[in-house]
Amino acid sequence: MKAQKEHGVSLFQEAINLLKSIQEYTPPQNFIFPAPRNGQMLSDRSLTTLIKRMHEQKFKDTGLGYIDPKQNRVITTHEFRSTFRDWSTDKTDYPR
């Protein structure tokens, strides 16, 4: 869902093959990444919580953490997606 509207996303054949190969491991709702406690859809806070926990662990281990150098704060989910988009543009030939 995006803005409360269902939308489709085009996938490369490799992604489709991967999804088909793990189909037996997904719950009946066919979530690729189900919530671990109930097998339902992950909450919208899941990625934010993951980033926070990763930051806390990395900071504890190395003193660095996952800091946005421009904002000098822990990265957000938007920045996470944006970083991936930048990386994929720089390192692959796939269109945006």
Side-chain angles (χ1 to χ4, degrees):
M1 300 291 280
K2 185 169 185 169
Q4 302 303 314
K5 295 180 184 176
E6 225 177 286
H7 67 283
V9 177
S10 299
L11 295 176
F12 290 96
Q13 189 60 48
E14 292 89 346
I16 294 168
N17 293 343
L18 175 66
L19 293 172
K20 285 180 179 179
S21 76
I22 63 170
Q23 199 168 32
E24 66 191 70
Y25 299 107
T26 59
Q29 298 86 353
N30 288 323
F31 294 123
I32 298 167
F33 302 106
R37 292 190 182 131
N38 61 16
Q40 297 297 311
M41 184 181 349
L42 285 172
S43 79
D44 58 352
R45 301 278 306 157
S46 297
L47 188 54
T48 301
T49 301
L50 173 66
I51 291 169
K52 182 179 179 209
R53 288 179 183 165
M54 289 169 53
H55 168 74
E56 289 168 352
Q57 183 63 46
K58 185 168 179 157
F59 187 79
K60 182 176 84 173
D61 293 345
T62 66
L64 299 175
Y66 294 90
I67 301 292
D68 175 346
K70 293 179 184 174
Q71 303 291 325
N72 197 30
R73 61 178 168 74
V74 178
I75 63 171
T76 65
T77 53
H78 171 75
E79 291 157 330
F80 190 79
R81 289 187 299 265
S82 179
T83 298
F84 178 77
R85 186 176 62 217
D86 293 345
W87 172 85
S88 63
T89 298
D90 292 345
K91 301 293 181 183
T92 74
D93 294 326
Y94 288 105
R96 182 175 176 186

